[in-house]
Amino acid sequence: MSKKKVVIIGSGIGGSGVGALLAHSGNYEVSLYERNKLIGGRFASYEKDGFKFDIGCHLIANCDKGALGRILTLVGHPDWVEWHYAVKPAPGINFKGKRVRFPKEIDGLGLPPEEVGKIMEFYNRALSIPEEEYDAWDKRSVYSLLQEYTKNETVRSVFSLLNRIFFVISDQETPVGEYVRCTKQMLSTRSNGYPAGGTGSVPEAYVKSIKTDGGQVFLNTPIKQIAVENGEAKGIILENGKKVEADIVISNAGNRPTVDFLVGRKHYRPEVLARLDKYEYSGCFSMIKIALDQPISDEKMVMYIGRDDMSVLDEERRAGIIPEVLTDVMAPVISNLDPKACPEGRQLIIAGGGTYPTPEKPDSAWFKKLETSLFNAVKIIYPGIEKHIMWTNFTASREIDNLFGEGGNIVGISQKIGQVGPDRPFLVDPCVKNLYHCSADSGVHGIGGELAADSALRLFELLESK
Ligand SMILES: Cc1cc2nc3c(=O)[nH]c(=O)nc-3n(C[C@H](O)[C@H](O)[C@H](O)COP(=O)(O)OP(=O)(O)OC[C@H]3O[C@@H](n4cnc5c(N)ncnc54)[C@H](O)[C@@H]3O)c2cc1C
């Protein structure tokens, strides 16, 4: 039987992941086109002065035991990525300048004993929700469930931090079902961590697998358009006008950019466009990468809570006020997770935070304020850091936007209430035959990159079942 010709637009986790799976099945002739010179989209990594950086990521949920690792196992190369778990020390919280290890140092939050009991009651309730009820619970927010147990603002600050870090949305937007599903998986696998060589090593391994299985990968090759004839995808058009014919087209560019720019809205029914236009993206992060002349910390992953005046914070966030010191910051010591991430004797720390509503036309002063606010948090997390800085590199959401579009967001279409489970964007294009969507947008479950890998696994299963 002749192989089906598949073209994939984009080498993010979704695109490279599904490409690896399809090429390995032996049923498809895979060609992948990426517009950037780096492989991996938001998961890509690059090198500067012997330091290895990621475009985005900080920590990967479930590593080899989750969706990202499952793709490698299915293509027969589980060892092509070496995972380093974030253990000894485990990820912890810095609460207003004080390191608090959970759960044994929960007293460090300064909570009265009855509040500690209420946290336990909340967890017992949430984690006992049976899987078949998750969809129903997805209509309620983590915030609203927590309020049934406690209205203590310090307790809320912890859950708010976790929701902002997992899903880059607020606790008032996070659905209970998805939060519980992801939390339970992480508690059972106990394998959050980081891949050796940077996050880019994951999509690079997928791309290597595509090539090993006879597929082709083209970098620096932007796709101008998806060729649609009589409601059917027939291939892609390159920037130079050349058409590449295909039986199946898969877009990793995100549902909305694919519809708006690669296919064209004229091919879609109004109700499909209305549904797509209603989706909201996750929040944005800004990041500061800090190269140090010597190691200053043994930590692997620190999450910083600078404030627990939650009602005031809610108001400030709504108004887009950037505080003096940013709160809800992730600050891993990347070179403690992966010693090869920097030259010997040095250290690499990355801090990220944000999710502020970005003004319509943010100017340099706005971004400078965000950078200062983020760096002020870093100085509290890692006291004395200023004395050892070789250089810093600030990446704002506008840089992410320039590279990948979609408003500089972190995850893709967010997992807020009304956008999870059966309400996720489509995997199978509803108006264009033989066109499929594969990215974090069309993934159903998981955190960050896992959502994109989930999309790849689902699409592979669907195509194989046809
Ligand atoms: C700052 C930041 C921090 C993050 N932190 C974490 C974290 O700690 N843990 C975690 O798991 N996840 C994290 N994420 C999220 C994670 O990186 C993304 O959810 C995931 O990588 C998205 O993958 P994707 O498959 O949707 O594709 P994307 O990464 O969006 O890639 C899409 C690819 O398609 C290409 N493309 C688009 N249009 C075209 C075209 N016309 N022609 C050719 N190519 C095209 C793009 O160049 C890109 O390479 C973070 C993201 C960012 C930005």
Side-chain angles (χ1 to χ4, degrees), residues 9-15 33-36 40-43 55-60 221-223 252-253 262 285 287 330 400 403-404 409-411 439-440 447-450 452:
I9 306 168
S11 69
I13 289 294
Y33 296 81
E34 166 57 54
R35 72 173 164 205
N36 289 320
R42 285 159 226 251
F43 246 61
I55 293 281
C57 293
H58 294 96
L59 206 70
I60 312 298
T221 313
I223 301 312
N252 175 225
L262 291 172
F285 253 35
M287 283 177 311
M330 261 173 113
I400 306 285
L403 279 168
F404 310 113
N409 80 88
I410 299 292
V411 179
S439 70
I447 293 179
E450 284 200 305

Side-chain angles (χ1 to χ4, degrees), residues 259-462:
V259 168
D260 286 354
F261 308 117
L262 291 172
V263 177
R265 289 172 74 90
K266 67 173 192 261
H267 294 283
Y268 288 86
R269 295 190 298 277
E271 71 274 17
V272 173
L273 293 175
R275 184 182 155 202
L276 199 57
D277 290 345
K278 256 177 68 184
Y279 281 115
E280 286 177 23
Y281 287 108
S282 80
C284 299
F285 253 35
S286 289
M287 283 177 311
I288 189 157
K289 291 157 185 166
I290 307 165
L292 300 172
D293 62 5
Q294 66 170 68
I296 62 158
S297 174
D298 294 333
E299 295 287 3
K300 286 191 169 146
M301 171 66 166
V302 180
M303 294 169 278
Y304 172 69
I305 300 175
R307 290 174 59 177
D308 57 351
D309 52 342
M310 299 306 289
S311 328
V312 180
L313 207 50
D314 283 345
E315 275 308 312
E316 287 185 10
R317 281 182 168 132
R318 266 193 287 275
I321 296 170
I322 300 173
E324 188 72 19
V325 182
L326 204 63
T327 186
D328 296 345
V329 168
M330 261 173 113
V333 182
I334 295 294
S335 51
N336 286 349
L337 286 159
D338 175 17
K340 291 198 188 120
C342 73
E344 228 181 300
R346 310 285 196 216
Q347 194 158 59
L348 171 64
I349 291 179
I350 296 188
T355 74
Y356 282 84
T358 310
E360 218 158 272
K361 285 200 176 111
D363 55 14
S364 306
W366 188 86
F367 282 112
K368 189 69 208 162
K369 202 165 174 200
L370 195 56
E371 180 179 353
T372 306
S373 170
L374 176 58
F375 192 64
N376 286 342
V378 171
K379 286 194 281 190
I380 295 173
I381 305 167
Y382 298 109
I385 192 169
E386 304 100 297
K387 288 188 248 136
H388 297 286
I389 291 176
M390 294 164 68
W391 45 262
T392 63
N393 179 315
F394 180 69
T395 313
S397 50
R398 64 178 162 194
E399 275 91 31
I400 306 285
D401 199 16
N402 287 342
L403 279 168
F404 310 113
E406 301 189 305
N409 80 88
I410 299 292
V411 179
I413 287 176
S414 85
Q415 290 149 290
K416 63 176 268 195
I417 292 171
Q419 301 191 168
V420 282
D423 296 322
R424 291 298 292 161
F426 40 81
L427 193 67
V428 181
D429 195 278
C431 299
V432 179
K433 213 175 144 204
N434 296 332
L435 173 61
Y436 299 88
H437 300 257
C438 189
S439 70
D441 286 354
S442 50
V444 180
H445 298 299
I447 293 179
E450 284 200 305
L451 197 58
D454 179 72
S455 176
L457 288 162
R458 283 172 196 271
L459 180 55
F460 173 62
E461 204 172 301
L462 186 133

Side-chain angles (χ1 to χ4, degrees), residues 89-300:
I93 288 180
N94 182 308
F95 182 73
K96 298 182 179 176
K98 191 169 162 199
R99 178 73 157 88
V100 183
R101 285 176 207 278
F102 273 123
K104 59 177 188 245
E105 291 174 2
I106 201 162
D107 291 353
L109 297 177
L111 293 168
E114 64 271 19
E115 289 298 336
V116 176
K118 284 174 188 162
I119 298 179
M120 295 310 159
E121 278 176 43
F122 167 80
Y123 260 120
N124 287 341
R125 174 71 189 102
L127 297 182
S128 66
I129 293 173
E131 207 174 322
E132 58 275 16
E133 288 181 19
Y134 288 166
D135 284 354
W137 278 93
D138 274 338
K139 296 182 174 45
R140 274 194 73 178
S141 71
V142 168
Y143 168 81
S144 85
L145 181 62
L146 186 64
Q147 291 285 299
E148 280 183 15
Y149 292 84
T150 173
K151 295 194 168 35
N152 183 292
E153 298 234 311
T154 303
V155 174
R156 190 186 152 206
S157 73
V158 175
F159 288 96
S160 167
L161 167 88
L162 295 176
N163 294 159
R164 282 179 191 278
I165 284 179
F166 291 176
F167 307 113
V168 204
I169 49 178
S170 75
D171 55 343
Q172 286 154 327
E173 296 170 304
T174 305
V176 173
E178 187 61 7
Y179 171 77
V180 171
R181 185 189 291 269
C182 293
T183 304
K184 263 186 165 171
Q185 191 185 3
M186 285 190 287
L187 287 173
S188 80
T189 70
R190 294 190 175 278
S191 59
N192 295 341
Y194 188 79
T199 52
S201 60
V202 180
E204 283 160 22
Y206 296 163
V207 158
K208 186 173 158 192
S209 182
I210 294 176
K211 291 180 179 165
T212 306
D213 286 319
Q216 287 184 296
V217 176
F218 305 89
L219 300 182
N220 276 322
T221 313
I223 301 312
K224 198 165 142 197
Q225 226 184 313
I226 293 172
V228 180
E229 290 165 28
N230 301 321
E232 204 171 319
K234 292 285 188 186
I236 51 170
I237 315 282
L238 308 188
E239 288 275 288
N240 61 12
K242 190 182 154 207
K243 182 175 173 190
V244 178
E245 294 194 344
D247 302 308
I248 291 172
V249 176
I250 297 174
S251 176
N252 175 225
N255 284 58
R256 204 180 279 162
T258 302
V259 168
D260 286 354
F261 308 117
L262 291 172
V263 177
R265 289 172 74 90
K266 67 173 192 261
H267 294 283
Y268 288 86
R269 295 190 298 277
E271 71 274 17
V272 173
L273 293 175
R275 184 182 155 202
L276 199 57
D277 290 345
K278 256 177 68 184
Y279 281 115
E280 286 177 23
Y281 287 108
S282 80
C284 299
F285 253 35
S286 289
M287 283 177 311
I288 189 157
K289 291 157 185 166
I290 307 165
L292 300 172
D293 62 5
Q294 66 170 68
I296 62 158
S297 174
D298 294 333
E299 295 287 3
K300 286 191 169 146

